[in-house]
Amino acid sequence: MADPDLDFTTGESGASATYPMQCSALRKNGYVVLKGRPCKIVEMSTSKTGKHGHAKVNLVGIDIFTNKKYEDMCPSTHNMDVPSIKRIDYQLVNINENYMSLMSDNGDIREDLRVPENEVGKEIEAKFDAGEEFMVTVISAMGEECAVATKVLASK
Amino acid sequence: MMAAVGAAEVITQLESAAKVLMAPPSMVSTEQRQHAEHVFLSFRKSKSPFAICKHILETSKVDYVLFQAATAIMEAVVREWILLEKSSIESLRAFLLTYVLQRPNLQKYVREQILLAVAVIVKRGSLDKSISCKGIFHEVGQLISSGNPTVQTLACSILTALLSEFSSSSKTSSIGLSMEFHGNCKRLFQEDGLRQIFMMTMEVLQEFNRRENLNAQMSCVFQRFLSLANQVLSWNFLPPNLGRHYIAMFEATQNVTLKPTESWREALLDTRIMDLFFTVHRKIREDSDMAQDSLQCLAQLASMHGPIFPDESAQISYLAHMVEGFLSMINGIEIEDSEAVGISNIISNLITMFPRSILTALPSELFTSFINCLTLLTCSFGRSAALEEVLDKDDMVYMEAYDKLLESWLKLVQDEQHFPRGCFVQPAIQVFNSYIQCHLAAPDGTRNLSVNGISSHEEEEINELQEDDRELFSDQLSSIGMLGRVAADHCIPLLTSLLEDRVNRLHGQLQRTQQHLMASTDLESVDRKVLDDLYEDIHWLILVSGYLLADDPQGETPLIPTEVMEFSIKHSTEVDLNTTLQILGSPGEKASSIPGFHRTDSVIRLLSAVLRTSEVESRATRASLTELLSPQMGKDIVWFLRRWAKSYLLVDEKLYQQISIPLSTAFGVDTEGAQWIVGYLLEKVINNLSANDTVELLVTLVEKRERANIVVQCESWWSLAKQFASRSPPLHMLSSCVQRSLMKALVLGGFAQMDSDTKQQYWAEVLHPLQQRFLNLINQENFAQISQEEAVKQEIVATLEALCGIAEATQIDNVASLFSFLMDFLSSCIGLMEVYSNTPETINLIIEVFVEVAHKQICYLGE
């Protein structure tokens, strides 16, 4: 898939959401698409039926956005789709009606992401209410985006 | 000395503290418990508690308090030893001994503690000679001759306590005394006290042996003394001149062999002792617990060595007597499961602990009988071990015993010079045949057949983390391989004919299945049993062949085994070289279809049989029958080829005294045969790179310069290099360790002999694209922005993996050039760490590159 003549200047557009990888090349704590969802691999084991059977890989993954658990199985020589994961840090500027105002490196502001309804979201709200300045890490994969962590403000 | 009134208070205090400690956790608080513990601890520290302890022992009814009183005495005695009068110590000891004698119903743990206190006193007194064991032994002797089983058991407990205390192992309880002290006590004891214990024990065993029927009580006593005998024979005799710094290490020895000091000559060289143990075993072997002890005693006797033997003839005569006794013990009995391991231990010790020269000095008839017995036992245990596997037993006693016997065989045959030539050939054939039989399916073999002849065919899920057979059974396979070499005339042709037969059958079966599938495409309807049986047969045949034909020494130059070379040389006059090469070069044809096939070199024909297996596999893959193939067999084939290639491919004649003409013609440097094989193996590998084992074969092919020279002449190698460098599918999807090894192989190939133009071209194909792509990428202006793109990340990761592979290819004569190549990358890598600070996996990989470079190159730093 990787084309040696790939033009690296095109930026966001043209990059595919997933790319294939041989099942046996997957690793625990890596990523894989299970039942259509981008997941982090939490368990991976190989087994075969009988001594002379073909190896199958059993995967258990957690949806990186919903935290739901998914399982799947794949013959080890087949390919599976791996999601392209992007992580970007933004500085939190404001929270308005449960939406975050995030400033990127180049000063652009985006306000299209909600404060997530989980521990991370609570952390974001708490820190914001306390008047702290901090970064928010946003993960994006397969067309979805979500804030997943807070970070210490990067020194400019 | 405390007044009687104070004593009563103390007892009350201790008894209520004991109640607290014995109470369930719900009834008492932590503070109360701690307070109670404190009471006992401070009691034990009190000065000269002897009188009060005596009083407690005689008065209190609470066992725990009695226990603590005994402990207090024991600790105080050691602590205050130099302040005490000899007579008071003696009377204390006597008091304690009498105490247990008079109370047969004492709780076991209290009794043991009191006896321990006695033992501690004896030990502490042994050095300054204030106490003599003589008195004790006299008393114990009287207890034994009382004929009262309870009393006799007590006598045994006393002796056991003494033995434990003096053995200076972790059981020793005289804390606070130096290692030197323990060592000196032990040495004194083993010269005198220990032997007295042994003699007393022998007398008891003798006495019981004479009796026809033993009631349960007497049997019990018998068992205790047998166990004591075992402990004596397992004593780790402390040598006279071992420095005190080494004592701890010495005492940590796990498997103690019997190495008594000279003073034990009379006691142990008396053949009546040996006879007694054999007789005892015959008597009690049905009782599996006692049998363990008696077999252990015999095994210890079988391990005897060292200064106890005054000269060689004493050792020979001892061994002869032992072997005779053993043979008559085995003769005519049906071995119990519980005896298997013990018997194998006896044999193993005899073979390991007695020098070759002593074994060969045995009367030849006796030696032959021994070897025959060993052969029969090995085959029998092997069959039973196979049954154990079928039944999937928890405790595989026969497997353990079988392993031990095979280990002994290896020791025997490895040192062939001492033994009459050829004396092991017949036994080797029997053991080898038996092993093969157990591993082949019916009707040729007995694999998976339970006792009533029913074979099982289970399809269980197997976790891939389970060890491969070649590792799990590597010890067995090494021994069997060695035995196969000893009897090469029989074994090599046997393996060849079995393998050729199975491969023919496999070919036929695959063809039939293919036709079946064309009629009905339902894969589930295929009967896997026939195929699986064939695959399993082939699996074992390949493993045994691999272990027979070659070794896999780590770090040494692998050589063709002497016996195999000699075998090939011996028959070379009957061999037609052309036919041999034809058989080698035609893996797609049946061997028997080549005219004159019976006049080929057997070693080469065995290799060809494996190549034929490989060919069937390749053809089936090309015919899209991969689902029907066995990945296990694929692994075995590649494993074999790698192991074989290391020793045989491009044979270096300088390393051998004599070389076999067929082998050097087929595989020597500058031969057509070698070229053909390299090409064949290369094809095999390139078509199946996704498996880990396969790429290792590729590395083997190029890691030796002579082989690499041939490899780089092959077209397929160059196209592989180009393919990899351009990251075309499917190579780019391989797992990271395969990619690394592939890079390593490609770099190793680059150091083969080529003219300078070709070499430049090679590096241009293999290494420069890597550099170019990387530099183009990171030097882009917007690299920081696009760095998180998936395609970019993949490129970076692939480059990093390749760098690791390059580092792994470091050898002494390429370290300089590789280092300078790698240096350019390494400096850029530091910048990458900043860019990928959010991606820990990539950071890890970058660090790994540095580690690999350092690891692989640092050993050549001086060059």
Side-chain angles (χ1 to χ4, degrees), chain A residues 1 4 6 8-9 11 15 19 22 25 46-54 56 84-85 87 89 151, chain B residues 460-464 469 535-536 626-627 629-632 732 773 777 780 786 789-791 793-794 838:
Chain A
M1 181 231 92
L6 190 69
F8 292 120
T9 58
Y19 58 95
Q22 199 174 58
T46 326
S47 65
K48 53 185 181 175
T49 313
K51 204 157 156 188
H52 297 278
H54 290 259
K56 306 183 295 273
S84 305
I85 311 269
R87 283 192 197 87
D89 294 338
K151 255 172 124 164
Chain B
E460 357 124 343
E461 284 293 317
I462 298 178
N463 194 315
E464 280 241 312
D469 283 340
Y535 287 137
E536 186 69 357
T626 322
E627 279 306 303
L629 288 174
S630 156
Q632 179 64 52
H732 71 293
R773 294 155 65 96
L777 183 54
Q780 284 193 29
I786 59 167
E789 304 266 319
E790 205 45 62
K793 269 207 248 181
Q794 270 194 61
N838 239 342

Side-chain angles (χ1 to χ4, degrees), chain B residues 70 319 383 471:
Chain B
L319 177 62
R383 284 189 296 271
E471 306 298 333

Side-chain angles (χ1 to χ4, degrees), chain B residues 129-354:
Chain B
K129 311 263 194 283
S130 53
I131 303 257
S132 96
C133 286
K134 236 191 238 166
I136 310 256
F137 289 135
H138 182 70
E139 287 171 42
V140 171
Q142 289 186 315
L143 295 178
I144 292 176
S145 22
S146 71
N148 177 337
T150 320
V151 169
Q152 288 172 324
T153 308
L154 181 64
C156 192
S157 297
I158 297 170
L159 295 178
T160 309
L162 280 172
L163 193 144
S164 297
E165 183 55 30
F166 277 91
S167 69
S168 174
S169 63
S170 58
K171 289 183 279 180
T172 220
S173 54
S174 308
I175 40 165
L177 296 163
S178 71
M179 196 58 91
E180 222 166 9
F181 173 79
H182 288 298
N184 291 336
C185 280
K186 183 172 183 179
R187 284 195 184 102
L188 280 176
F189 183 75
Q190 71 193 19
E191 292 304 309
D192 189 32
L194 184 67
R195 194 168 48 249
Q196 288 197 47
I197 294 182
F198 184 63
M199 300 316 288
M200 276 194 270
T201 312
M202 290 299 102
E203 277 167 28
V204 174
L205 291 181
Q206 191 104 316
E207 180 57 42
F208 279 87
N209 218 15
R210 283 197 206 109
R211 309 235 179 153
E212 273 304 316
N213 297 314
L214 294 170
N215 63 29
Q217 255 193 329
M218 280 160 61
S219 251
C220 223
V221 179
F222 195 2
Q223 186 170 6
R224 304 264 338 247
F225 275 93
L226 186 56
S227 173
L228 180 59
N230 191 7
Q231 287 187 56
V232 174
L233 291 174
S234 304
W235 182 268
N236 195 4
F237 281 84
L238 195 58
N241 42 16
L242 193 66
R244 69 173 192 273
H245 302 292
Y246 299 103
I247 293 184
M249 205 167 59
F250 181 82
E251 295 295 352
T253 318
Q254 290 281 24
N255 295 321
V256 176
T257 50
L258 186 57
K259 195 175 179 186
T261 50
E262 279 180 37
S263 58
W264 282 75
R265 264 183 208 161
E266 221 187 282
L268 283 176
L269 292 184
D270 184 345
T271 51
R272 287 175 299 174
I273 299 287
M274 206 189 286
D275 293 338
L276 175 58
F277 280 105
F278 278 119
T279 319
V280 164
H281 183 73
R282 238 191 310 276
K283 198 178 169 79
I284 53 83
R285 49 182 289 264
E286 316 261 310
D287 178 331
S288 62
D289 286 327
M290 284 213 263
Q292 301 277 25
D293 271 324
S294 78
L295 284 173
Q296 183 65 17
C297 290
L298 288 169
Q300 289 302 109
L301 287 173
S303 74
M304 198 158 84
H305 64 294
I308 189 156
F309 291 113
D311 51 39
E312 268 196 11
S313 73
Q315 208 177 8
I316 296 170
S317 128
Y318 180 88
L319 177 62
H321 202 87
M322 187 97 213
V323 171
E324 274 164 8
F326 176 75
L327 288 175
S328 62
M329 178 179 98
I330 298 285
N331 227 347
I333 60 163
E334 215 182 285
I335 296 180
E336 302 278 326
D337 293 353
S338 53
E339 290 179 297
V341 173
I343 288 174
S344 68
N345 283 338
I346 295 172
I347 295 175
S348 170
N349 284 345
L350 287 173
I351 291 177
T352 316
M353 304 307 300
F354 284 84

Side-chain angles (χ1 to χ4, degrees), chain A residues 22-156:
Chain A
Q22 199 174 58
C23 211
S24 55
L26 297 171
R27 289 286 169 266
K28 198 170 146 176
N29 291 332
Y31 296 93
V32 73
V33 177
L34 295 175
K35 312 263 167 75
R37 298 293 307 159
C39 299
K40 182 164 183 183
I41 302 173
V42 291
E43 256 173 59
M44 187 171 151
S45 66
T46 326
S47 65
K48 53 185 181 175
T49 313
K51 204 157 156 188
H52 297 278
H54 290 259
K56 306 183 295 273
V57 179
N58 306 295
L59 296 160
V60 178
I62 307 263
D63 186 318
I64 59 179
F65 295 117
T66 66
N67 270 345
K68 247 177 98 168
K69 200 161 155 188
Y70 290 96
E71 280 185 50
D72 205 354
M73 209 230 317
C74 165
S76 65
T77 45
H78 282 47
N79 296 331
M80 287 206 81
D81 284 327
V82 176
S84 305
I85 311 269
K86 261 218 284 255
R87 283 192 197 87
I88 305 185
D89 294 338
Y90 297 92
Q91 186 176 356
L92 181 72
V93 200
N94 196 15
I95 299 186
N96 197 3
E97 286 179 13
N98 218 25
Y99 279 85
M100 301 182 287
S101 289
L102 299 168
M103 183 170 77
S104 64
D105 250 357
N106 58 8
D108 291 341
I109 307 260
R110 61 186 291 191
E111 296 177 309
D112 57 334
L113 285 176
R114 285 191 129 96
V115 175
E117 289 173 23
N118 53 21
E119 288 303 313
V120 177
K122 293 198 184 68
E123 206 185 312
I124 293 176
E125 282 175 346
K127 284 191 167 163
F128 180 70
D129 288 339
E132 283 181 41
E133 281 198 335
F134 58 98
M135 311 285 281
V136 171
T137 305
V138 172
I139 206 171
S140 82
M142 291 170 71
E144 274 182 64
E145 287 183 284
C146 184
V148 291
T150 63
K151 255 172 124 164
V152 169
L153 195 67
S155 49
K156 293 283 196 255

